[in-house]
Amino acid sequence: MDNARLLKLREEMKKRGIDAYVVPTADFHESEYVGAYFRAREFLTGFTGSAGTAVVTEDKAGLWTDGRYFIQAAAQLEGSGFDLYKMGQEDVPEIPKFLEEELPEGGVVGFDGRVVNAKLAEKFQEVAEKKQGSLYVTEDLVDLIWENRPAMACTPTWILTEEYSGESTASKLKRIREKMAEEKAEYHIIASLYDIAWILNLRADDIENVPVFLSYLLIGPDKATLFIQPDETDDAVRAYLADCGVETDTYWNVYEAVKKLPENAAVLMNRKVVNYRMVSALPDGVKIIDKEDPSELMKAIKNETELTNTRRAHLKDGVAMTKFMYWLKTNVGKIPMDEYSVGCYLDNLRASQEHFLDLSFEDICAYGSNAAMMHYAATEDQKSEIHPEGMLLVDSGGHYLEGTTDITRTFILGPITPKMKLHYTTVLRCNLALANVKFLYGCGGLSMDVVCRGPLWEMGIDYRCGTGHGVGHILNVHEGPNGFRYKVVPERNDSGRFEAGMITTDEPGVYLEGEYGIRIENELICVKDEKNEYGQFMRFENITYCPIDLDGVDPELMSAREKKQLNDYHKVVYEKISPFLTEEEREWLKEYTREI
């Protein structure tokens, strides 16, 4: 049965002659996670996952999301009036195809032109033209029905000094202008909040757990302009920007600014990020050079300062995680525990570490069958009690002044079945295979993901997500263009070539609906290995330091090589973490990093 919000949206669509209306999970910058103001899709559908697009027609309403959220979305959409469309599954049409099938002749496709990127909008335009129809992009219809909508975030910016960033803004702008010259571009429009924050060495808190600020950056031949909400900068930040050759202007003035670009200018931009309304505002004669922002690859390849600092961040994070594991394993069944309270305990351990800034994402603390939902989140009101049996999956991370962390451990809390132990050990084997792979320069995650998934594929098992993602430096915990995924997914930029200095997660898993979920995740730095007549070989340095729960491991299922790899890893964990523990914790850690 249709919910009230869906009915109200259809009323607004009818008033304007709109036949299909698209509501993505997006802000004006194609950010992966969005602030409360931009959660229009969540408001409309009730689905709280970080990824998904709603499409509403006169008689149909659908929610498209990926495999991470199939279980969660099915539960949350019940009674909402929205049907679940499982992306990537057989017989599930992509959104442009669905629109083509549903749009009548002369029909109108509507969306807020600020929250749909120019590349996707082009596909919607093609659909409308096939039906002799048109687009309606000048209004946010959800805003018309959203009473008491949260305000747009506006938080103070602060400067990340070179002690932590490792490179000045002036140097970064110089490198970007060199790339602009190679592309014969006079101007460069940047809409990605991650790239702007990285280039300017500024951070803020406009998105929960993502230290960025709503802004646009326009780089010209001899000056750059940052379009930002005035209250986000103080005199010190404005003076810093001026010293870097960056002027400031009001956030909303960017549309007028791009209208005034020279008519024959060549403008570099990523149309998968820059929104449709901005591209539409450009003068007719402007030549668009549609390529990835040069800063994307630059920030993915961490400099030596960033790498050194990130290792320090992981040491702090490893201490917090190891203390958490000790507390959990020694107290489960003795004191009351639930998913929410246990997650809060871990948060407090992280917060006690020097230079802690924030969590890098909302904790996933999932017990039993809840762990089969890849992005499950317990709340104070909705949580499961934890008992001394089965498994607890904890995926968490933190931002520190030194860097960003992301780690998952699956903890054995008591008796588990042989099938659980088989799956746990196999996930471990997958993790070890990727962490210890040696490869020739030129490889991307497409080739190496097969190495990781191999042990699970041999059992006829898979997981409906990527194996790993790039990690930002005090930015978004998910970053391109590096990642591990066996196939190209157009909406995810994670198929790039691996370069020395890139940081990527290694996180295979098993998820059985109604039973349990298992994931083991470490972070890896790509480093150079030997170079010979065959070329430059590469490998990974493991920088996550926390025991892998040996209570779930069946050594009989592992090869001698795999056991040595695990033993070597645990030796490093003990050496790095033990100096920061109490005597009792140290003795416990010795047992949980023992050789098998």
Side-chain angles (χ1 to χ4, degrees):
M1 187 173 183
D2 288 356
N3 68 29
R5 294 168 183 176
L6 184 53
L7 291 172
K8 287 180 181 178
L9 179 64
R10 284 188 168 127
E11 288 172 9
E12 298 298 336
M13 291 168 57
K14 191 171 183 179
K15 289 177 189 176
R16 293 158 178 78
I18 297 173
D19 298 282
Y21 196 74
V22 181
V23 184
T25 306
D27 57 14
F28 304 151
H29 307 271
E30 286 293 312
S31 303
E32 179 184 16
Y33 301 109
V34 298
Y37 173 85
F38 294 103
R39 292 173 187 161
R41 185 266 300 151
E42 179 180 327
F43 167 82
L44 190 62
T45 67
F47 168 59
T48 60
S50 67
T53 300
V55 181
V56 177
T57 66
E58 183 181 1
D59 56 4
K60 290 184 179 180
L63 184 282
W64 276 255
T65 193
D66 60 55
R68 296 171 296 167
Y69 293 111
F70 289 168
I71 301 172
Q72 178 182 337
Q76 291 183 327
L77 292 178
E78 194 170 339
S80 69
F82 283 83
D83 296 320
L84 174 59
Y85 288 78
K86 298 180 178 180
M87 293 169 60
Q89 301 297 290
E90 285 186 53
D91 302 323
V92 174
E94 294 184 356
I95 290 173
K97 183 66 176 176
F98 173 85
L99 290 172
E100 186 176 339
E101 292 169 353
E102 298 298 325
L103 198 68
E105 281 295 317
V108 176
V109 177
F111 53 86
D112 178 356
R114 299 169 300 175
V115 298
V116 173
N117 68 67
K119 204 84 168 179
L120 179 58
E122 188 177 88
K123 294 181 180 179
F124 296 156
Q125 177 78 52
E126 290 171 359
V127 170
E129 288 176 353
K130 281 183 182 178
K131 295 298 182 80
Q132 312 300 312
S134 60
L135 299 181
Y136 187 102
V137 300
T138 56
E139 281 186 290
D140 175 3
L141 297 195
V142 177
D143 189 59
L144 302 178
I145 65 173
W146 192 345
E147 296 180 8
N148 302 314
R149 185 174 190 170
M152 280 180 58
C154 182
T155 59
T157 51
W158 52 275
I159 300 166
L160 185 70
T161 61
E162 282 187 57
E163 176 187 0
Y164 298 105
S165 69
E167 184 181 7
S168 70
T169 289
S171 172
K172 292 175 180 180
L173 286 171
K174 181 176 181 291
R175 288 206 284 151
I176 289 168
R177 286 193 172 103
E178 288 169 356
K179 290 294 183 182
M180 289 168 59
E182 288 177 15
E183 299 292 346
K184 296 182 171 52
E186 299 151 275
Y187 295 90
H188 180 24
I189 295 173
I190 306 174
S192 162
L193 302 183
Y194 323 124
D195 290 74
I196 295 169
W198 179 83
I199 293 166
L200 300 180
N201 288 331
L202 293 176
R203 302 293 188 270
D205 293 297
D206 280 4
I207 300 177
E208 188 176 2
N209 306 135
V210 186
V212 296
F213 44 95
L214 296 172
S215 57
Y216 298 94
L217 186 61
L218 175 61
I219 301 176
D222 49 21
K223 75 170 186 177
T225 304
L226 174 67
F227 297 87
I228 187 170
Q229 298 176 91
D231 289 344
E232 297 212 76
T233 58
D234 60 16
D235 290 343
V237 169
R238 285 189 290 274
Y240 160 77
L241 289 169
D243 286 344
C244 298
V246 180
E247 300 176 351
T248 57
D249 199 347
T250 303
Y251 182 63
W252 299 106
N253 286 352
V254 68
Y255 295 96
E256 287 302 314
V258 299
K259 282 181 183 178
K260 296 174 183 175
L261 289 175
E263 286 195 6
N264 296 316
V267 181
L268 174 65
M269 70 171 69
N270 184 351
R271 290 173 69 249
K272 295 196 296 289
V273 179
V274 177
N275 70 55
Y276 179 69
R277 188 179 294 186
M278 184 169 296
V279 173
S280 300
L282 291 167
D284 289 341
V286 162
K287 176 189 176 185
I288 295 175
I289 302 170
D290 182 18
K291 294 200 171 181
E292 306 287 348
D293 296 334
S295 51
E296 181 185 60
L297 182 59
M298 293 177 187
K299 69 179 168 59
I301 302 172
K302 276 56 179 177
N303 60 49
E304 284 305 315
T305 298
E306 290 173 318
L307 292 174
T308 298
N309 281 330
T310 297
R311 292 184 185 99
R312 291 173 181 154
H314 276 277
L315 183 58
K316 298 176 185 183
D317 209 65
V319 171
M321 278 297 299
T322 302
K323 283 179 173 288
F324 171 75
M325 182 177 176
Y326 165 78
W327 172 83
L328 176 71
K329 299 271 292 181
T330 56
N331 285 288
V332 65
K334 299 175 184 176
I335 61 175
M337 290 184 182
D338 61 62
E339 295 165 325
Y340 183 77
S341 65
V342 162
C344 290
Y345 188 91
L346 175 56
D347 294 347
N348 289 333
L349 285 171
R350 273 203 172 89
S352 69
Q353 298 295 315
E354 185 185 21
H355 293 165
F356 174 81
L357 299 173
D358 194 3
L359 302 178
S360 55
F361 55 96
E362 184 181 25
D363 293 344
I364 299 169
C365 188
Y367 179 62
S369 61
N370 291 337
M373 293 182 275
M374 294 182 196
H375 283 230
Y376 169 83
T379 67
E380 197 166 4
D381 298 323
Q382 292 186 314
K383 61 205 176 188
S384 294
E385 291 184 355
I386 293 173
H387 303 288
E389 60 184 15
M391 299 182 291
L392 177 72
L393 186 155
V394 180
D395 186 355
S396 62
H399 293 299
Y400 303 82
L401 263 180
E402 291 82 4
T404 295
T405 68
D406 184 3
I407 175 175
T408 306
R409 289 294 182 266
T410 304
F411 301 110
I412 312 304
L413 303 184
I416 59 172
T417 66
K419 185 171 82 167
M420 289 177 177
K421 195 164 251 193
L422 168 64
H423 286 161
Y424 186 97
T425 307
T426 306
V427 169
L428 170 59
R429 292 176 57 221
C430 293
N431 176 283
L432 292 170
L434 183 55
N436 291 280
V437 72
K438 184 174 176 178
F439 59 98
L440 271 169
Y441 176 74
C443 283
L446 288 170
S447 47
M448 283 183 284
D449 194 25
V450 178
V451 174
C452 184
R453 292 180 194 253
L456 283 171
W457 280 0
E458 288 173 7
M459 298 168 61
I461 297 174
D462 193 29
Y463 42 95
R464 294 189 176 99
C465 62
T467 291
H469 54 83
V471 180
H473 187 75
I474 324 174
L475 289 168
N476 191 13
V477 75
H478 299 141
E479 176 180 272
N482 46 306
F484 298 114
R485 192 183 299 271
Y486 71 90
K487 61 182 178 181
V488 174
V489 178
E491 65 270 17
R492 295 197 170 275
N493 179 32
D494 59 3
S495 302
R497 180 175 59 198
F498 274 86
E499 304 282 353
M502 287 179 166
I503 300 177
T504 318
T505 64
D506 170 8
E507 47 182 312
V510 167
Y511 309 93
L512 301 182
E513 185 174 355
E515 294 187 57
Y516 52 83
I518 299 166
R519 178 158 67 250
I520 298 172
E521 173 187 19
N522 286 349
E523 284 187 34
L524 311 173
I525 297 176
C526 182
V527 297
K528 290 182 179 180
D529 201 274
E530 67 185 285
K531 186 175 184 179
N532 55 30
E533 68 270 27
Y534 301 107
Q536 177 67 61
F537 281 90
M538 314 290 285
R539 60 180 175 82
F540 294 114
E541 173 194 343
N542 202 327
I543 57 170
T544 300
Y545 315 119
C546 177
I548 293 167
D549 196 341
L550 293 176
D551 292 339
V553 178
D554 182 352
E556 296 298 316
L557 300 173
M558 300 176 69
S559 68
R561 182 170 184 265
E562 290 167 338
K563 283 186 274 195
K564 183 180 185 304
Q565 290 169 347
L566 179 59
N567 291 338
D568 288 347
Y569 172 71
H570 274 157
K571 183 180 179 182
V572 172
V573 170
Y574 185 81
E575 289 173 351
K576 288 189 175 291
I577 300 299
S578 60
F580 301 94
L581 305 181
T582 66
E583 185 58 37
E584 190 174 313
E585 290 168 337
R586 226 176 354 256
E587 286 303 311
W588 172 90
L589 180 60
K590 190 177 293 184
E591 172 65 14
Y592 273 89
T593 55
R594 68 189 184 274
E595 287 198 359
I596 62 167

